[in-house]
Amino acid sequence: MTDAHPSRPDLPPASAIGAFGWLRRNLFSSPFNIALTGLASYLLYLTVPHVLHWALLDATWSGDSREACQANGGACWVFIRANFEQFMYGFYPEAQRWRVDTALLLLILGAAPLFVRTVPNKFKVRWGLGLLLVYPLVAFVLFKGDLFGLRAVDTSRWGGLLLTLVIAGVGMTAALPLGILLALGRRSQMPAIQTLCMTFIELWRGVPLITVLFMSSVMLPLFLPVGVNFDKLLRALIGVTLFQSAYMAEVVRGGLQAIPKGQFEAAAALGLGYWKTMALIVLPQALKLVIPGIVNTFIALFKDTSLVLIIGLFDLMNTVHNATTNPAWLGFSTEGYVFAAAVYWLFCFGMSRYSQNLEKRLHTGHKR
Amino acid sequence: MNGRTLTTTLVTAVLLAAASGARAGTTLNTIKERGYVKCGVSDGLPGFSYTDEKGKFSGIDVDVCRAVAAAVFGDSTKVKFTPLTAKERFTALQTGEIDVLSRNSTWTSSRDSALGLNFTGVTYYDGQGFLVNKKLGVKSAKALDGATVCVQAGTTTELNLSDYFRAGKMKYTPITYDKSDESAKALEAGRCDVLTSDQSQLYAQRIKLAKPGDYIVLPEVISKEPLGPMVRHGDDDWFDIVKWTLFVMVDAEELGINSKNVEDMKKSTNPDVKRILGVEGDKGKDFGLANDWMAVVIKQVGNYGEIFDRNVGKGSDLQIERGLNALWSQGGLQYAPPVR
């Protein structure tokens, strides 16, 4: 069979279209690609069945103790189910967990208008800024309590995904404005401000986050007077925010440098002062340009929150680790870490998709 | 000067500066005013301190904290647990972030002196041991000549292992792992014949294996790892309270008093029992505590044997033998001075 369409000479031969054509074009187009395809299939053949058997086919889904898992050879997802609440809330008192749920619900309701396309942009900006100012306070009161008749819940009891989100959320919302200010400061004409910002950025960028956390938790208390302790979570939050703001500053500075000189001159010609030039002309363009960089930093920050386990804060990662040391559930660390990885991936992938969506809407790629 | 010495020197220097500000004799008052004891525990160690699905702390180290709270307040729940990593633990105690550190720390001379801290006793006599497959037919560590040994990298465990085999003129091949999970998997896969670690941890490792029954912990202990609670230098009254809380629990086991029979035992004619339960004498006043504080500790937390069984012994998943931790009268090392 040489010609698949004797009656339609205008159509390509069958071997070039359809599934067969796709395979040929993408997987078997040259001897080298054929070899690669073969190798990849072999590797998949080696791993996929094992993973499938472990994670799904031989896995245990029901039951409430380790005994339930002993019969099957696969993963013991019962471990995740039994500890799920702990993974989400940490040691947050059970009777008070509705407060965390309420805060999450408020966030979803509050942020919803920002994601609706028909809402005018001007309103979105005002609403967003208002949310940024009001929501952290509301969430703090709900989590911490001790006000309006809510029972006090010490920060040492916050844990699990809740704590991960608190650290990541505070880190992101505080590091971005701080980073913008630092970036502007570093490009400032005033030597004092420029030196100050540069020193700050280079200092914080030059040390690993793990050292910052370690200093905040182990060394700092030694320098304070005996008996004076301030909250461990607060110390970690400050550390993470300052650290990330230095990175953010450099990302934003990259965007500022990409703005042509003409834009500054045009703003000056219009009679705009420094702050108005920055706020109305330069930053909107610069920030749009560096969305990938900002989101990259956000994603790195989100994953870096797991480092707080070295200072004994029980974020998602440490809560999972802690659950694996319960003698009733010894030996299921693989399941625990797979679950933690999945949760981290879900959040990071979500952020990445949102940023792509944002870029598309703002046309920052200039359609190249 | 290596990194560790440098750290120790630094910490000591800072401490000397801080020590001048330490207030002697007021720890108990501070705690009473605050309304709860602040106790540092481990960030997750099977049998010693861990949390269950509901986030409730359990373990030997945790029970020591509860006992101290029962001694001070007559209520074992008046305690706040602070999970600490190995690196933070001493700083937390030195700076007053916690009142007691009960976190499986080995009692060594340097920790008892240079750190500015005091060990108050031994809650658990641990030591490095060996876990082997029954199939090997090995009954003693002396028969391990030529064995392949799985060991955790960069720990004193590695050092002790080498010393032990050299002293016995035996050969071995070490395989090092970074995580305890990995070494357990290696033993199971037959990569090594023996797994070495602190005995208390070997029992936890054994549970992780698919067939725990096929493996045994050899009787030999090749290092001394006495674990105990710690307090700061400079407040002997508080030191006494924590120390005697532990002694009382050991004495109670020796006298046959436990959490269930403590009320009945108050009617006992044995003068030792009468004193410890506060029926006779005023043993509370000496410590600045309620007169029946010892009875309350036993009633709310239990005697030493109960604590051991419930957390690591027969009544737990770990199934650790009493061994060195049996009472002195039963061939172990647990011995407490009399209440008198």
Side-chain angles (χ1 to χ4, degrees), chain B residues 41-68:
Chain B
V41 293
S42 162
D43 51 347
L45 190 69
F48 287 81
S49 105
Y50 60 91
T51 55
D52 64 8
E53 295 88 339
K54 299 273 173 234
K56 185 175 173 285
F57 283 90
S58 315
I60 289 192
D61 288 345
V62 168
D63 278 346
V64 169
C65 299
R66 293 219 167 94
V68 172

Side-chain angles (χ1 to χ4, degrees), chain A residues 66 82-83 86 91 94 154 156 214 217-218 221-222 227 232 309-312 314 322 325-331 333, chain B residues 14 18 43-47 50-55 80 83 85 87-88 91 95-97 181 185 204 207-208 317:
Chain A
R66 59 183 296 125
N83 289 287
Q86 202 187 345
F91 307 138
E94 242 172 303
D154 196 73
S156 65
F214 196 68
S217 136
V218 180
L222 285 175
K232 190 147 100 174
L309 89 92
I310 66 135
I311 59 167
F314 283 80
N322 182 53
T325 62
N326 179 353
W329 293 105
L330 278 178
S333 47
Chain B
V14 175
D43 51 347
L45 190 69
Y50 60 91
T51 55
D52 64 8
E53 295 88 339
K54 299 273 173 234
K80 185 190 151 195
T85 63
K87 291 187 178 75
E88 312 176 282
T91 319
T95 59
E97 198 180 323
D181 282 342
K185 292 248 154 61
I207 298 185
K208 295 180 187 170
D317 291 294

Side-chain angles (χ1 to χ4, degrees), chain B residues 13-292:
Chain B
V14 175
L15 262 181
L16 285 178
S20 51
R23 305 139 300 166
T26 57
T27 310
L28 182 61
N29 290 335
T30 316
I31 294 170
K32 277 184 171 166
E33 268 168 42
R34 190 197 302 136
Y36 56 89
V37 177
K38 293 196 282 192
C39 196
V41 293
S42 162
D43 51 347
L45 190 69
F48 287 81
S49 105
Y50 60 91
T51 55
D52 64 8
E53 295 88 339
K54 299 273 173 234
K56 185 175 173 285
F57 283 90
S58 315
I60 289 192
D61 288 345
V62 168
D63 278 346
V64 169
C65 299
R66 293 219 167 94
V68 172
V72 175
F73 294 106
D75 181 351
S76 66
T77 61
K78 290 199 170 164
V79 54
K80 185 190 151 195
F81 297 104
T82 306
L84 297 164
T85 63
K87 291 187 178 75
E88 312 176 282
R89 55 182 160 180
F90 302 128
T91 319
L93 183 58
Q94 286 159 349
T95 59
E97 198 180 323
I98 51 173
D99 306 313
V100 192
L101 177 69
S102 180
R103 192 202 177 280
N104 63 294
S105 307
T106 304
W107 189 344
T108 64
S109 64
S110 59
R111 285 178 180 174
D112 210 357
S113 53
L115 283 179
L117 304 174
N118 275 333
F119 280 88
T120 62
V122 178
T123 41
Y124 188 95
Y125 287 97
D126 208 349
Q128 191 173 336
F130 299 98
L131 179 68
V132 297
N133 194 325
K134 275 184 187 162
K135 270 193 306 200
L136 279 184
V138 176
K139 291 273 180 299
S140 151
K142 299 208 171 59
L144 285 177
D145 196 11
T148 312
V149 186
C150 278
V151 58
Q152 217 162 320
T155 54
T156 47
T157 318
E158 218 177 343
L159 221 65
N160 295 334
L161 177 71
S162 131
D163 287 352
Y164 179 76
F165 273 81
R166 221 173 41 203
K169 296 205 168 51
M170 299 190 290
K171 284 197 175 55
Y172 74 105
T173 317
I175 301 184
T176 54
Y177 289 95
D178 276 334
K179 287 259 180 300
S180 63
D181 282 342
E182 290 174 58
S183 46
K185 292 248 154 61
L187 179 69
E188 193 156 41
R191 292 278 315 274
C192 48
D193 309 316
V194 196
L195 175 67
T196 185
S197 178
D198 283 350
Q199 277 207 330
S200 61
Q201 294 318 300
L202 286 180
Y203 288 94
Q205 294 274 46
R206 192 169 67 164
I207 298 185
K208 295 180 187 170
L209 304 171
K211 289 185 185 134
D214 288 358
Y215 295 82
I216 51 163
V217 175
L218 296 179
E220 278 86 357
V221 174
I222 65 168
S223 74
K224 292 198 281 188
E225 313 281 349
L227 311 176
M230 301 169 91
V231 295
R232 271 184 300 281
H233 273 179
D235 188 344
D236 290 350
D237 298 336
W238 179 239
F239 176 58
D240 288 343
I241 292 172
V242 178
K243 179 169 59 181
W244 275 90
T245 304
L246 187 58
F247 284 158
V248 162
M249 293 193 289
V250 176
D251 277 331
E253 187 185 5
E254 199 180 333
L255 293 169
I257 313 169
N258 59 40
S259 56
K260 310 229 167 36
N261 70 8
V262 59
E263 292 302 327
D264 295 337
M265 290 298 270
K266 280 184 178 165
K267 298 179 199 106
S268 163
T269 50
N270 183 339
D272 283 334
V273 174
K274 279 181 153 178
R275 271 194 296 271
I276 204 170
L277 295 182
V279 181
E280 211 176 88
D282 47 2
K283 289 290 154 278
K285 212 168 71 189
D286 304 349
F287 291 95
L289 301 171
N291 208 35
D292 66 339

Side-chain angles (χ1 to χ4, degrees), chain A residues 116-201:
Chain A
V116 179
R117 267 174 214 203
T118 50
V119 178
N121 271 334
K122 206 163 188 182
F123 177 75
K124 270 190 193 175
V125 170
R126 287 203 185 136
W127 182 257
L129 284 177
L131 193 68
L132 268 183
L133 290 176
V134 176
Y135 182 75
L137 287 177
V138 174
F140 179 76
V141 169
L142 271 172
F143 291 161
K144 183 84 201 267
D146 217 8
L147 265 179
F148 309 121
L150 291 172
R151 230 187 80 197
V153 178
D154 196 73
T155 54
S156 65
R157 311 206 56 173
W158 304 10
L161 187 61
L162 162 67
L163 187 68
T164 297
L165 292 180
V166 165
I167 298 173
V170 171
M172 286 174 196
T173 43
L176 185 58
L178 206 57
I180 292 174
L181 286 182
L182 282 169
L184 291 177
R186 193 168 177 170
R187 280 169 59 88
S188 161
Q189 306 289 326
M190 290 179 264
I193 291 189
Q194 200 205 7
T195 320
L196 201 73
C197 291
M198 211 163 86
T199 318
F200 180 92
I201 292 170

Side-chain angles (χ1 to χ4, degrees), chain A residues 53-322:
Chain A
H53 270 279
W54 181 80
L56 299 171
L57 300 177
D58 295 344
T60 313
W61 302 87
S62 58
D64 49 14
S65 70
R66 59 183 296 125
E67 278 72 33
C69 297
Q70 232 101 58
N72 310 339
C76 182
W77 300 120
V78 182
F79 166 66
I80 305 294
R81 230 185 50 191
N83 289 287
F84 189 76
E85 298 250 302
Q86 202 187 345
F87 292 164
M88 293 299 115
Y89 305 99
F91 307 138
Y92 211 85
E94 242 172 303
Q96 308 291 324
R97 285 180 183 166
W98 61 269
R99 283 154 54 173
V100 180
D101 300 337
T102 313
L104 182 70
L105 192 72
L106 283 177
L107 179 64
I108 294 172
L109 289 180
L114 301 178
F115 294 87
V116 179
R117 267 174 214 203
T118 50
V119 178
N121 271 334
K122 206 163 188 182
F123 177 75
K124 270 190 193 175
V125 170
R126 287 203 185 136
W127 182 257
L129 284 177
L131 193 68
L132 268 183
L133 290 176
V134 176
Y135 182 75
L137 287 177
V138 174
F140 179 76
V141 169
L142 271 172
F143 291 161
K144 183 84 201 267
D146 217 8
L147 265 179
F148 309 121
L150 291 172
R151 230 187 80 197
V153 178
D154 196 73
T155 54
S156 65
R157 311 206 56 173
W158 304 10
L161 187 61
L162 162 67
L163 187 68
T164 297
L165 292 180
V166 165
I167 298 173
V170 171
M172 286 174 196
T173 43
L176 185 58
L178 206 57
I180 292 174
L181 286 182
L182 282 169
L184 291 177
R186 193 168 177 170
R187 280 169 59 88
S188 161
Q189 306 289 326
M190 290 179 264
I193 291 189
Q194 200 205 7
T195 320
L196 201 73
C197 291
M198 211 163 86
T199 318
F200 180 92
I201 292 170
E202 295 306 334
L203 188 79
W204 286 93
R205 236 174 17 145
V207 287
L209 180 57
I210 208 157
T211 328
V212 174
L213 291 173
F214 196 68
M215 285 292 278
S216 78
S217 136
V218 180
M219 295 308 282
L220 186 68
L222 285 175
F223 301 129
L224 296 172
V226 175
V228 175
N229 288 300
F230 71 100
D231 199 86
K232 190 147 100 174
L233 175 61
L234 185 65
R235 279 183 260 158
L237 284 178
I238 294 175
V240 168
T241 304
L242 294 182
F243 181 83
Q244 293 294 345
S245 66
Y247 277 88
M248 196 54 81
E250 290 300 279
V251 171
V252 174
R253 196 166 66 95
L256 291 177
Q257 276 173 352
I259 306 299
K261 210 173 155 201
Q263 297 288 324
F264 292 88
E265 290 167 355
L270 284 175
L272 297 179
Y274 176 80
W275 290 108
K276 277 198 167 163
T277 307
M278 288 303 161
L280 299 174
I281 311 288
V282 179
L283 279 177
Q285 299 183 68
L287 290 181
K288 235 196 288 185
L289 280 175
V290 291
I291 288 176
I294 292 177
V295 174
N296 202 22
T297 313
F298 279 174
I299 288 179
L301 187 156
F302 189 81
K303 290 185 292 185
D304 277 352
T305 56
S306 59
L307 287 177
V308 299
L309 89 92
I310 66 135
I311 59 167
L313 286 178
F314 283 80
D315 73 322
L316 176 65
M317 190 70 181
N318 207 9
T319 311
V320 168
H321 163 80
N322 182 53

Side-chain angles (χ1 to χ4, degrees), chain B residues 286-308:
Chain B
D286 304 349
F287 291 95
L289 301 171
N291 208 35
D292 66 339
W293 72 271
M294 299 181 181
V296 172
V297 168
I298 300 165
K299 187 169 184 188
Q300 298 194 354
V301 184
N303 67 32
Y304 181 79
E306 286 178 278
I307 292 173
F308 190 97

